[in-house]
Amino acid sequence: QSALTQPASVSGSPGQSITISCTGTSSDVGSYNLVSWYQQHPGKAPKLMIYEVSKRPSGVSNRFSGSKSGNTASLTISGLQAEDEADYYCCSYAGTRWVFGGGTKLTVL
Amino acid sequence: QLQLQESGPGLVKPSETLSLTCTVSGGSISSSSYYWGWIRQPPGKGLEWIGSIYYSGSTYYNPSLKSRVTISVDTSKNQFSLKLSSVTAADTAVYYCARHTIAAAAFDYWGQGTLVTVSS
């Protein structure tokens, strides 16, 4: 199976907003509202930031939001902070399997 | 607080079988609401789902690895395990165990990860 497609890198200045896209197919992102997003700092385990396309787990800042249109999901981070600099991965359920995106490195300038 | 901890050899020889165990503490692996999965990350690369298991023993595997993967569960020890056969250098990675919700299909708790290197 192919990984979901994410931009390799995005950047933004503190206080700005950025959006990371995640493009799949009609067999994964397009078929299920079961897209999740993970933040990973160097040397650390991934952390769940968004589930079911747009829901935030308890404790995750409301600066993080998610959406989906067709086969593409998106993660938006508003009011960028230095601590947001990390790798971000999307993941979609695809009917008895899970597929991750290739990851996006977010740089806070 | 739920915790997951991976354990197993950090070095495996090519063609041999990689074996890892994930010990779950602070919660029961027999909960009906969750699957338990393995995810790996080669150095400098992205995440790859390997497979998942329900406490009853029902499994789902990544089709690209299915012929080499076996995931099992031991509810008496609150553990689940991964075996990956016929390993090559391409299987060198940090291996994570994680819990994922059935309803939301999201991986909400992760182990710290363990690096497994395949080398002679």
Side-chain angles (χ1 to χ4, degrees):
Chain A
Q1 90 256 11
S2 300
L4 306 177
T5 300
Q6 299 180 231
S9 63
V10 297
S11 62
S13 299
Q16 288 186 333
S17 295
I18 63 94
T19 296
I20 299 171
S21 62
C22 170
T23 301
T25 69
S26 58
S27 297
D28 38 61
V29 175
S31 285
Y32 306 95
N33 289 323
L34 294 173
V35 176
S36 50
W37 289 89
Y38 303 85
Q39 177 191 65
Q40 186 180 35
H41 287 109
K44 300 295 187 181
K47 175 187 176 183
L48 177 64
M49 304 301 285
I50 295 287
Y51 66 99
E52 289 184 55
V53 175
S54 60
K55 297 179 180 179
R56 280 188 311 275
S58 174
V60 172
S61 171
N62 61 8
R63 297 186 298 105
F64 291 82
S65 61
S67 62
K68 191 187 89 167
S69 177
N71 295 338
T72 298
S74 298
L75 172 72
T76 297
I77 309 173
S78 59
L80 269 180
Q81 299 180 0
E83 68 211 47
D84 300 332
E85 185 163 293
D87 294 327
Y88 291 85
Y89 294 90
C90 61
C91 179
S92 178
Y93 177 69
T96 72
R97 63 185 181 92
W98 282 258
V99 59
F100 283 92
T104 298
K105 180 175 181 56
L106 168 61
T107 300
V108 180
L109 302 170
Chain B
Q1 176 77 350
L2 190 75
Q3 292 187 319
L4 293 85
Q5 179 69 57
E6 306 89 352
S7 59
L11 181 64
V12 180
K13 290 182 168 56
S15 80
E16 295 189 343
T17 296
L18 178 160
S19 296
L20 295 173
T21 295
C22 182
T23 300
V24 179
S25 59
S28 174
I29 203 170
S30 298
S31 170
S32 61
S33 300
Y34 306 106
Y35 266 80
W36 304 88
W38 289 97
I39 299 103
R40 70 179 182 178
Q41 184 172 36
K45 297 187 178 181
L47 301 168
E48 179 181 35
W49 171 72
I50 298 170
S52 299
I53 191 164
Y54 194 54
Y55 77 94
S56 64
S58 174
T59 53
Y60 294 120
Y61 295 138
N62 185 324
S64 66
L65 297 169
K66 187 174 183 178
S67 63
R68 298 194 293 130
V69 173
T70 301
I71 297 176
S72 59
V73 63
D74 186 336
T75 55
S76 67
K77 295 182 178 179
N78 230 30
Q79 296 176 333
F80 62 106
S81 298
L82 168 70
K83 290 187 184 300
L84 180 65
S85 64
S86 304
V87 297
T88 69
D91 296 309
T92 293
V94 174
Y95 285 76
Y96 295 99
C97 59
R99 184 185 83 170
H100 61 105
T101 63
I102 293 176
F107 299 90
D108 59 353
Y109 281 91
W110 296 66
Q112 65 185 24
T114 187
L115 174 63
V116 178
T117 301
V118 179
S119 175
S120 55

